[in-house]
Every structure is written in C-alpha cells, then in structure tokens.
Amino acid sequence: MDELEEALAMAMTTAVSNTRVILRRYMTWFPSEDEMEVTSYISDFVQGEVSTNNVVMKVMSSGHPDFKAGNLCLGDDWMARSSVQTFPLTEVTRTKSRRRSGGRSMAAATLSNKRVILKRYVTGLLSEDDMEVVTVEAPPLDVPTGSKGVVVKNLYVSCDPYMRNRMTRHELPSYIPDFVPGEVLANFGVMRVISSGHPDFKAGDLVWGITGWEEYTVINNSESLFRINHPKLPLSYYTGMPGLTAYAGFFEVSKPKKGDYVFISAASGAVGQIVGQLAKIIGCYVVGSAGSDEKVSLLKTKFGFNDAFNYRKEPDLKAALRRYFPEGIDIYFENVGGETLDAVLPNMRLGGRIAACGMISQYNLERPEGVKNLFYIVTKRLRMEGFLVFDFYDKYYQFEEEMAGYLKEGKVAYVEDVVEGLDAAPAALIKLFTGRNVGKQLVAIARE
C-alpha cells in the first residue's frame, strides 16, 4: 500500500475518535519515536501542537460553501483547518521532491488534466485518429490577482455537429474560428467554478458556457458564462445549446401559428426533439424524419409527434413528404440539407418558412451536394433563413424559465446519449455522423 492509499484509508475511517500526532519536544538531532508518535519531516512544528503533512480527508460536516459532507479533500492539515483544498481523489498525483534545506523531503501534490486535442486538420470523414486524448499538468487553480477570469472544473461537455466544421482549415474565415492542431477542442459544457476574479461568479457556482474538452479550464471571457438557476434539474440538461437553439429557431425564425404543418429533419436529435414538442404545445401538426425504426418510435411515443418516418426506408423522399403532408408544409426545420432539402422545397405551401439550423449531411463531404429545386423559393414565395444560437443569447433567461416550467410539468421530455469520460469523447462525436446516437450526445467528465 503506497502513501496515497494509506492516506485514503485514514480519510475513509468511520471511527468517531479524533486521533492526532503531536510533537512531544523540540529535536536537536535525528528524530526518533520518542519525540513524536509518528515520524514527520515538516519543519517548524510547535511543541504540543498537532503535526501537519499532506493528507487525504473525508468531510463529515461543513459550514463552508465550498465543502459538503462526503467530499474527499487534499490538504496539509490533519485537523482540516484553513489550508484545505477540495480535489477529487482520482485527480491527485503525489510526487516526491527534495528540499536542500536540511536535506528534508516532503510530498507535493500536483493535478493532472486530461484533454482531447485535434491531431490534424480533417478532410473527408472524421475518424477517431484525427483526435487524441492526452494528459498534461492542470493550470493553476487560483485566478491571478486582478484577473476577471474564472477557473472551472468541467462536469459535462457537449458533442455537436458544428465541431466538425471547425476541424477543417478554411482559407476564408468561417463564422467561428477553426480549431488548431495540438490544442484542446472546445464546446459548450457544464462547469463548477473553482476560483473567480469576476464579480458575478464565486467558487462553487454551477455555470454553463464554452469550455475546453478537458478536466480543468481557465476561462478569461467570463461574460460568455451563464449561471445555472435550476440546479434541481439534471445538470446535463444544461450541456450545449439545443434548447435555446430550438426555442429561438422555432419561435423567432419560423414564426409559427396554431395549426401550422411542421416538418423536422433529424427529429430525434438534440434540437429536433425539442422543436417538435414546442410545436405540439402551441397546436401545430408535427411530422419528423429519423434514421432508424427505434428513433421513429421514440418520436411518436416519447415526444408526441403526430407522425414520423424512417428516411432510410423511403426511396423517394419527395413522394414520402407528399404522403405525410398532402396539403403541404408550412414550416420546415432544417437540420440535414442535401437531398432532404431538395425533396422539401416542392412540398412547401405558399408563404412557407424554412429555418436553416444545420446541414449535417454535408459536413463530411469534400464537395457539398447541390440543391436542384431552389426555384420553388421564388414560385412559392418562401422565406428561408439561417440562424446561429449566439444571436439569441438575449432570449436565454426567458427561455430558461419557460423550459424549466415545461420540464417540471412533464410537457417536454428530453433524451440524452451519455458516455463516461474523456477517453470516450472522440467516438461519441463520431456517432453524430453515423446516426448511432439517440438523443443529445454528451460526455460526462465528472458527475455531481
């Protein structure tokens, strides 16, 4: 049993007695058991006071906002006084260092930081080999004096199709910067604040926003973070932006009316499932397409769509849409592009609206597919509008309160596909493009 295991065993003891090691007298030469109960190598102990060293502890009770009963903590005080810092035990690495002063040695604690990086720019189909999981030293966990940044511990990170676009090197600037080979990937996530120099956030706060695909991240742009106001809901629900994307794309872009006929592609995905349920709440007729019979069943039974179909079983998408929408489509919520968009355009009603949220069928193609039926935009007087969720951040708190109410009342259901740990993150991202995920795809880094 090594030192860390011994410390853990001590920390996990259920004994109620308070055993301590004290210094019996000052030493003038090599320490012996007669001077203290257990040999210690930390200098300047005070006679009659408890000796100190780096130890692992389990919190029994706490009045401090940063600690709660059950926390495993690493600190330098066996009596758990002011210098204790909380780190999950699995993230604590013990290393030995030698002090020249007096030849004494002490145990130092360092934190590792597992992360997912981009190995190279990607062309064609994304593969796991384009990414790499590495372990580096964690950043300092204390915010520098004068900084308004925050240091966070990442709990969940989101897998989203748009990340694939950032893995390609663009000659012309895209709407969001390309990832850089060798650097950590980034996306939306749920985090706990470890330290903060920003007046709006304090240690212990639960927040969501853009963060790294890693265990610990320093965020200097704290204005991009949002505090989680309904922590009793599953924290994973705050991972990514599918809810606000669905809400803004449907209400602000599509401008729905009661009785509208709504078609949603990739309807069982993170955004599509929410759009369909919001449409049902206001009285629309909703049909969705998905890539498996399991997902079709989910749309009709779990999410309450009026109908749904497996596009892989439809050799003629245009005819299939005519069958499901004999009177035409008022609103098409576009998540796929390519052949699906081409089949939708002839089936739109006069004055129909198309909210272009994404086109996942095109992201892995070196040459995007063309669309042949664009002239229907003219003849049917259609409005097709693209949007980015960043444009609707001002609607977030309105959305949060409405959606929290729907979830608590059971009016909206949400399905997630969760993988455990950053080692599984590359494969999880690829599932989005093979259709193997069911619901919102995300990675749990540390559950709380």
Side-chain angles (χ1 to χ4, degrees):
M1 182 179 289
D2 60 21
E3 287 182 331
L4 185 56
E5 290 171 330
E6 290 176 348
L8 176 60
M10 181 183 297
M12 296 296 288
T13 182
T14 58
V16 178
S17 62
N18 184 20
T19 304
R20 51 164 46 183
V21 181
I22 65 170
L23 182 68
R24 297 177 62 189
R25 65 178 70 87
Y26 285 118
M27 294 175 282
T28 58
W29 189 235
F30 194 81
S32 70
E33 291 187 23
D34 191 48
E35 273 82 27
M36 54 185 171
E37 298 285 338
V38 177
T39 303
S40 174
Y41 294 95
I42 302 297
S43 59
D44 298 326
F45 290 136
V46 178
Q47 184 172 347
E49 288 293 322
V50 64
S51 301
T52 62
N53 199 350
N54 282 331
V55 295
V56 179
M57 296 158 282
K58 183 175 183 179
V59 176
M60 304 306 294
S61 63
S62 171
H64 194 283
D66 293 345
F67 305 97
K68 63 179 184 291
N71 280 155
L72 288 178
C73 310
L74 173 70
D76 64 358
D77 192 330
W78 288 5
M79 292 300 291
R81 294 186 292 202
S82 61
S83 60
V84 176
Q85 301 182 70
T86 54
F87 305 124
L89 184 64
T90 55
E91 295 161 4
V92 177
T93 304
R94 302 278 286 188
T95 60
K96 290 289 186 180
S97 64
R98 298 290 299 179
R99 275 191 173 181
R100 296 298 179 189
S101 172
R104 299 183 179 96
S105 66
M106 66 177 293
T110 62
L111 282 177
S112 62
N113 189 27
K114 186 176 288 187
R115 52 171 40 180
V116 182
I117 65 170
L118 180 68
K119 288 175 66 175
R120 64 182 73 87
Y121 285 121
V122 181
T123 57
L125 190 65
L126 178 66
S127 72
E128 289 186 52
D129 191 52
D130 294 317
M131 297 166 274
E132 185 177 8
V133 180
V134 299
T135 300
V136 298
E137 186 175 335
L141 298 183
D142 291 322
V143 174
T145 303
S147 170
K148 289 192 175 181
V150 298
V151 179
V152 298
K153 174 179 173 56
N154 296 310
L155 307 179
Y156 296 91
V157 289
S158 176
C159 298
D160 292 297
Y162 87 96
M163 295 177 69
R164 169 62 185 85
N165 186 58
R166 298 188 68 185
M167 295 178 175
T168 296
R169 187 174 184 274
H170 294 88
E171 296 297 332
L172 296 176
S174 182
Y175 70 96
I176 192 168
D178 299 338
F179 289 134
V180 178
E183 294 191 5
V184 65
L185 301 179
N187 198 10
F188 293 103
V190 172
M191 302 145 267
R192 182 178 290 280
V193 175
I194 294 177
S195 63
S196 172
H198 196 282
D200 293 343
F201 304 103
K202 66 181 184 301
D205 281 348
L206 290 169
V207 297
W208 68 264
I210 295 289
T211 189
W213 269 30
E214 57 187 348
E215 294 173 293
Y216 298 94
T217 301
V218 178
I219 299 175
N220 293 313
N221 182 23
S222 305
E223 288 74 17
S224 66
L225 297 179
F226 294 82
R227 183 178 285 105
I228 290 175
N229 294 314
H230 294 274
K232 291 187 178 180
L233 292 173
L235 290 179
S236 57
Y237 284 10
Y238 282 87
T239 307
M241 292 299 295
L244 182 57
T245 302
Y247 183 88
F250 187 60
F251 290 115
E252 301 295 325
V253 179
S254 301
K255 306 291 185 184
K257 303 184 298 292
K258 183 178 180 179
D260 277 346
Y261 291 90
V262 178
F263 174 55
I264 305 163
S265 56
S268 66
V271 175
Q273 59 176 287
I274 300 297
V275 174
Q277 292 176 89
L278 292 176
K280 288 292 295 179
I281 287 172
I282 67 167
C284 296
Y285 180 86
V286 183
V287 176
S289 65
S292 72
D293 292 341
E294 175 193 3
K295 293 178 180 180
V296 168
S297 176
L298 194 67
L299 292 175
K300 293 192 286 187
T301 60
K302 181 81 171 178
F303 302 135
F305 282 45
N306 294 96
D307 217 332
F309 64 91
N310 183 347
Y311 71 87
R312 299 181 192 273
K313 292 184 173 181
E314 298 290 348
D316 187 339
L317 279 176
K318 186 165 66 173
L321 288 170
R322 193 177 304 118
R323 188 168 72 249
Y324 285 98
F325 293 99
E327 298 182 33
I329 301 167
D330 291 300
I331 294 173
Y332 171 44
F333 201 93
E334 165 70 297
N335 292 308
V336 174
E339 293 180 359
T340 303
L341 176 59
D342 224 20
V344 166
L345 289 169
N347 284 286
M348 294 294 293
R349 300 178 78 177
L350 289 177
R353 290 86 73 201
I354 300 174
C357 177
M359 298 187 179
I360 193 172
S361 71
Q362 307 299 296
Y363 298 158
N364 282 308
L365 301 180
E366 294 187 47
R367 284 188 139 192
E369 297 170 339
V371 178
K372 302 172 185 176
N373 290 318
L374 288 175
F375 191 57
Y376 284 103
I377 294 177
V378 178
T379 60
K380 290 178 177 284
R381 282 82 91 191
L382 306 177
R383 178 173 60 83
M384 182 173 181
E385 181 179 347
F387 69 98
L388 297 176
V389 69
F390 314 114
D391 300 331
F392 297 96
Y393 273 1
D394 63 316
K395 303 289 184 183
Y396 172 69
Y397 289 111
Q398 173 186 327
F399 152 76
E400 184 187 29
E401 291 308 310
E402 285 190 35
M403 185 56 67
Y406 291 147
L407 289 166
K408 292 174 182 177
E409 295 166 13
K411 292 182 177 179
V412 169
Y414 194 54
V415 173
E416 299 175 309
D417 191 331
V418 186
V419 301
E420 298 291 334
L422 287 166
D423 289 317
L429 181 61
I430 291 170
K431 286 169 65 177
L432 297 176
F433 304 101
T434 61
R436 289 168 49 214
N437 68 300
V438 179
K440 169 62 184 172
Q441 185 69 66
L442 56 96
V443 180
I445 301 176
R447 292 184 181 272
E448 294 197 0

